[in-house]
Amino acid sequence: MRGFLASSIGVATAAALALPVALPTPALAARSMSAVSPVLPAVSPLTPAGSTQSLPLVPLGPAARRTPGVPGMSASPRLPETRGLAARDVKTFSMVGVVWDDAAAELHGRVQVRTRSATTSAWSAWQDVETHDSEHAADPDAAERGSGRIRGATAPLWVGASNGVEVRVRAEPGAQAPAAGSRLPSGLRIELVDPGADVPAGSPDGKNTDPDGDDKGDEPAVVGMSMETTESSQANLPHAELGADEITALDKADSTADAVFASEGELSAAARPYIGPRPRIVTRKGWGADEKLRERGFVYTNTVKAAFVHHSASGNNYACKDAPAVLRSLYRYHVVSSGWRDLGYNFAVDKCGTVYEGRAGGVSKAVLGAHTMGFNTDSMGIAVIGSYSATTPPKAAVDAIARLTAWKLGLFGRDPRAKTTLRSGGGNLFAKGRNVRMNVISGHRDGFATECPGRLLYGKLPTTRAASAHLQGRP
């Protein structure tokens, strides 16, 4: 299949978006369309387009360190640095995470939060937040990494609609931190993310507008859609109509025909027999991505040689109907809180097996993600929403990974059971420039020393490879 290499300016400029768009043949088009004061505040309504509250974490004294019910918080001489927030009322949010100034600095310590439900007013137990999340990021030399906006960050944690929060962050010994007097990174802040109630209404966000609040004069390219939404949706033509909320599933034969049509006949003959059936994919518009948050344009690599499987490490306390809200929160956390250009993953899968479009640029294209630091080039990242180190991943989610990889890897002629070679962009396992042999379907930990995608999800990958190859029709 032809390469899709493009600069960070992107292939879809505003001028191009204004031009007429060639539509697919009628047959293909038809397939594509088919503990605080007892007086509690009133629950704050969710903002339609979502919002982020960013609160600095302050030093905590010995009394705070002795808070009952918080393991490891007893006072002792030469205590490591501890920061946090006392229990307080806040505007409604559903996801939490901690960020700091220097993206290269590591947080050696323990992060714990407890939250108050906006519906029941009950406080949760203390919950641990996964502190190491830097491995989900752009490669060291990528333009995205050098933007100056990137921050260090923990993994985000989904807590559901909440209007109270308490935070404790305690330094602990690490590989580069002494046992006594351990320090935390500078600029620690708690990020409280509200995903919004529904599909974002398209109202401008302060960080993306002129000082007077105007949206720089951009007119919607399509009636009812912003220029940014049109740009994102257009990248999925001809697989779905402009403005579609989903890309419909196709059987194997129709998936092949659709792929040949979309590539204008340039799909390799070797790839054609082994394109798996296309799964149903909820588009960014379908899950309510606020396209004004991300950077304009798209960045592509030459091909897709491997798929890296991840878990979002955001917890399993969500219902499938809430998955779009979880995804909107992840997106906002990656862009607004962490400073990335877009959502890091190319695709997401919820516990019920629904597949979602991730980073914008087109589901069938080689979009450069920020999911496996050192190996984002010529790969794609699939995140199963949840945490799977101690929880078995649902069969529906594992099956969805097989379906998605059978189709997407098939477009690029890749056998899911095979090995491939990727050049490291730098990380904690492989030096920059080293050619690394790995599975075409790999876990995040294969390219970076990390727990991701969780022990129990990682253990499902051998059977996933076999199932994916079977769906491709390989002997």
Side-chain angles (χ1 to χ4, degrees):
M1 193 173 186
R2 58 180 176 172
F4 291 96
L5 185 64
S7 72
S8 61
I9 297 175
V11 296
T13 63
L17 287 169
L19 297 175
V21 178
L23 297 175
T25 62
L28 287 173
R31 287 198 300 268
S32 295
M33 291 171 62
S34 51
V36 292
S37 170
V39 180
L40 301 176
V43 176
S44 303
L46 294 174
T47 307
S51 63
T52 301
Q53 302 170 74
S54 187
L55 307 173
L57 301 186
V58 301
L60 298 179
R65 294 180 184 133
R66 289 193 295 267
T67 301
V70 186
M73 294 296 180
S74 60
S76 63
R78 302 182 65 191
L79 278 172
E81 184 180 10
T82 305
R83 287 181 172 264
L85 286 178
R88 64 174 61 193
D89 300 337
V90 291
K91 290 187 287 188
T92 303
F93 68 97
S94 293
M95 182 172 278
V96 302
V98 171
V99 301
W100 54 93
D101 296 338
D102 184 359
E106 293 187 25
L107 195 165
H108 296 288
R110 187 176 190 181
V111 178
Q112 295 179 305
V113 300
R114 68 185 191 114
T115 56
R116 186 183 61 206
S117 169
T119 56
T120 69
S121 300
W123 282 86
S124 73
W126 287 95
Q127 299 184 78
D128 286 299
V129 177
E130 172 58 54
T131 57
H132 298 293
D133 198 51
S134 61
E135 60 267 23
H136 301 83
D139 292 347
D141 287 345
E144 180 175 353
R145 187 81 177 185
S147 67
R149 298 188 304 272
I150 305 296
R151 302 180 185 93
T154 68
L157 178 68
W158 177 260
V159 295
S162 306
N163 58 13
V165 67
E166 186 172 7
V167 190
R168 297 282 185 267
V169 182
R170 182 179 187 270
E172 292 179 351
Q176 300 174 352
S182 298
R183 304 292 294 175
L184 294 167
S186 64
L188 284 174
R189 308 180 69 85
I190 183 76
E191 302 285 293
L192 308 175
V193 182
D194 160 26
D198 294 301
V199 175
S203 57
D205 183 280
K207 69 183 275 294
N208 304 95
T209 59
D210 292 332
D212 60 4
D214 294 332
D215 60 353
K216 302 180 181 179
D218 288 341
E219 294 294 332
V222 175
V223 174
M225 294 201 304
S226 68
M227 178 71 74
E228 295 86 355
T229 300
T230 302
E231 176 190 47
S232 177
S233 184
Q234 189 180 43
N236 285 319
L237 293 172
H239 308 302
E241 64 179 344
L242 202 62
D245 288 341
E246 66 175 61
I247 298 169
T248 57
L250 296 178
D251 62 23
K252 192 176 187 305
D254 283 348
S255 292
T256 302
D258 179 75
V260 171
F261 177 81
S263 68
E264 299 177 353
E266 294 184 21
L267 189 68
S268 73
R272 294 185 189 188
Y274 301 119
I275 299 172
R278 187 178 73 196
R280 171 181 173 266
I281 304 171
V282 177
T283 65
R284 290 172 62 90
K285 182 175 179 294
W287 56 260
D290 182 353
E291 300 292 356
K292 290 183 178 293
L293 293 181
R294 66 172 175 85
E295 289 186 13
R296 298 282 289 269
F298 315 121
V299 185
Y300 300 100
T301 61
N302 289 310
T303 187
V304 176
K305 300 170 70 175
F308 286 98
V309 177
H310 305 255
H311 66 172
S312 64
S314 53
N316 304 313
N317 189 28
Y318 73 94
C320 291
K321 66 179 178 60
D322 298 322
V326 179
L327 198 52
R328 292 198 301 274
S329 299
L330 286 169
Y331 171 46
R332 177 171 279 274
Y333 186 72
H334 283 182
V335 178
V336 177
S337 302
S338 302
W340 301 359
R341 76 183 318 270
D342 195 351
L343 182 70
Y345 310 111
N346 298 104
F347 296 93
V349 175
D350 68 23
K351 63 174 69 175
C352 291
T354 301
V355 177
Y356 302 86
E357 178 184 13
R359 180 164 288 207
V363 295
S364 66
K365 300 177 184 178
V367 179
L368 178 67
H371 48 84
T372 306
M373 190 169 72
F375 293 99
N376 290 302
T377 297
D378 296 341
S379 73
M380 69 176 185
I382 305 169
V384 181
I385 301 174
S387 302
Y388 297 104
S389 296
T391 300
T392 300
K395 183 179 184 299
V398 177
D399 288 348
I401 297 171
R403 293 195 306 272
L404 177 57
T405 53
W407 172 70
K408 183 64 179 281
L409 292 173
L411 297 177
F412 294 86
R414 311 300 174 188
D415 184 341
R417 304 164 302 185
K419 300 279 188 178
T420 191
T421 300
L422 295 174
R423 184 181 293 272
S424 173
N428 63 1
L429 275 183
F430 304 103
K432 179 181 177 181
R434 177 177 171 180
N435 289 325
V436 182
R437 193 77 171 160
M438 58 180 60
N439 291 306
V440 168
I441 298 181
S442 287
H444 186 180
R445 63 174 64 183
D446 294 322
F448 201 98
T450 174
E451 170 63 22
C452 185
R455 176 179 59 86
L456 297 180
L457 178 55
Y458 186 77
K460 297 292 184 179
L461 296 188
T463 55
T464 299
R465 297 181 189 111
S468 181
H470 177 74
L471 287 167
Q472 287 185 344
R474 294 184 184 271

